[in-house]
Amino acid sequence: MNGVSSAEEPAQIVALGDAIVDVLAQRDEDFLVDCGVLKGTMRLLADDEAEHLAAAMAGSGVVEEVPGGSAANSLAGAAALGARCRFIGLTGDDRLGALFKRHMADLDIAFDTPPHASAPTGRCFILVTPDGERTMQTSPAASHCLTAEALDEQAIRACDTLFLEGYLWGPDTPRSAMRRAIEIARRETRRIAFTLSDSIALPGRRDSIIGLVRDGGVDVLFANEYEAKLMAGVDDFDAAMRFLADICPLPVVTRGAAGAVAMWQGDRIERPAAKPAAIVDTTGAGDQFAAGFLAALIAGRDVAQSLDTGARNAAEVLGHVGARPLKRMEL
């Protein structure tokens, strides 16, 4: 795929991320115990563990399948704000891969990475107990087989922003693909944004991510407050912001109901959270904040305005079940 992008106009945001389908079900705590799943955990599954859990879920009631993945969710939000988007990620050549591809097309997001010939599409099994708590077990499968050869280099060269998902930074194969994408984007002086995705992606990867950022491989770094402190190795938020500002031109940190903070050219910029009519589901709020921020930044808004757009985008997704917006949004 080191050749021609199929999009008529260059994508403004090109994202590399996990091509994952969320498999959701409401189950009681006895089901979790029977499956050997610890309530409230987030854990990576081997392929055989994933097959066992999938069979148990399918045999015990209603299951919903919804395309997800952190960067893909962010592209859904950016596209809803009018940004032209392209996703680079790897599905399996199977039913769930076809579902993922169809949903991307429905959102007007370009996605034509050829599927993996043998590995299945990645799945995130989300079990919701009667108390509303979510237990998430993820099988990356094909998504972590992404190679540098699968990159659409022309799309990366022509984009405004290359957006990288922290979940993909773990295994050597997709990490090499990300490094190659960074090299291409940096050569063309494109903006590079990196989202830490979740604190689960940090252990064992912190030093390499810090090295990437410090060496100039990232222009915009997205994190939540907890992730920012983990990255900095401190418990104090202000100290964490100073650390991130020392290594990255534009760190952007969300703080839940306390809003968001960015550091830009020596200035600390703080904006309040947008208040949703109701909080129904917090899934995807961070992904949608990043979507709104990047879409606004690409449209020429300043950092404060971009923070506000990110907050509004996050608030919209809080008001319904699911990690993606249900309607077109305004910048």
Side-chain angles (χ1 to χ4, degrees), residues 60 99 117 146-147 232 264 275 277:
S60 60
L99 174 68
L146 183 70
T147 66
W264 174 242
K275 289 184 172 57

Side-chain angles (χ1 to χ4, degrees), residues 18-22 66-69 100 121-124 138-141 143 324:
D18 279 335
I20 294 283
V21 172
D22 293 338
V66 181
F100 187 94
T121 298
R123 290 170 287 184
C124 179
T138 302
S139 171
S143 67
R324 298 181 177 185

Side-chain angles (χ1 to χ4, degrees), residues 32 36-43 125 133-138 200:
L32 271 64
V37 174
L38 183 62
K39 180 182 175 182
T41 58
M42 295 182 65
R43 189 169 70 95
F125 300 96
E133 185 167 357
R134 289 182 166 226
T135 300
M136 303 173 70
Q137 312 281 286
T138 302
I200 194 174

Side-chain angles (χ1 to χ4, degrees), residues 180-199:
R180 174 59 182 158
I182 291 167
E183 178 185 319
I184 297 164
R186 185 58 70 216
R187 188 182 304 139
E188 301 294 331
T189 65
R190 304 308 180 194
R191 180 189 293 113
I192 300 172
F194 190 104
T195 177
L196 294 179
S197 301
D198 193 280
S199 57

Side-chain angles (χ1 to χ4, degrees), residues 15 22 29 57 85 129 170 189 202 216 221 257 261 265 278 281 298 301 308 311 326:
D22 293 338
E29 296 189 19
M57 290 173 66
C85 300
T129 43
T189 65
L202 278 176
L221 180 67
V261 182
Q265 296 181 339
D281 182 7
I298 289 168
R301 307 298 198 268
D308 287 341
L326 298 180

Side-chain angles (χ1 to χ4, degrees), residues 237-238 241 253 255 258-263 267-273 303-304 307-308:
F237 177 68
D238 292 336
M241 286 302 303
V253 180
R255 308 186 75 187
V261 182
M263 295 290 291
D267 293 330
R268 176 169 167 146
I269 304 162
E270 301 189 48
R271 299 297 296 164
V303 172
L307 289 171
D308 287 341

Side-chain angles (χ1 to χ4, degrees), residues 138-256:
T138 302
S139 171
S143 67
H144 280 186
C145 299
L146 183 70
T147 66
E149 289 71 31
L151 299 178
D152 186 332
E153 296 192 1
Q154 178 175 315
I156 295 170
R157 286 193 292 269
C159 74
D160 178 283
T161 299
L162 173 67
F163 184 51
L164 304 172
E165 178 185 316
Y167 284 122
L168 213 57
W169 187 254
D172 289 339
T173 297
R175 186 183 297 193
S176 295
M178 293 174 82
R179 287 195 180 279
R180 174 59 182 158
I182 291 167
E183 178 185 319
I184 297 164
R186 185 58 70 216
R187 188 182 304 139
E188 301 294 331
T189 65
R190 304 308 180 194
R191 180 189 293 113
I192 300 172
F194 190 104
T195 177
L196 294 179
S197 301
D198 193 280
S199 57
I200 194 174
L202 278 176
R205 310 178 192 182
R206 174 181 175 269
D207 290 346
S208 64
I209 294 173
I210 288 174
L212 171 69
V213 178
R214 181 173 278 142
D215 291 344
V218 174
D219 302 303
V220 184
L221 180 67
F222 291 105
N224 62 33
E225 181 172 356
Y226 181 61
E227 294 160 357
K229 292 175 180 178
L230 283 179
M231 276 283 284
V234 299
D235 290 328
D236 179 72
F237 177 68
D238 292 336
M241 286 302 303
R242 289 193 296 271
F243 173 84
L244 295 181
D246 283 342
I247 65 172
C248 180
L250 180 51
V252 181
V253 180
T254 56
R255 308 186 75 187

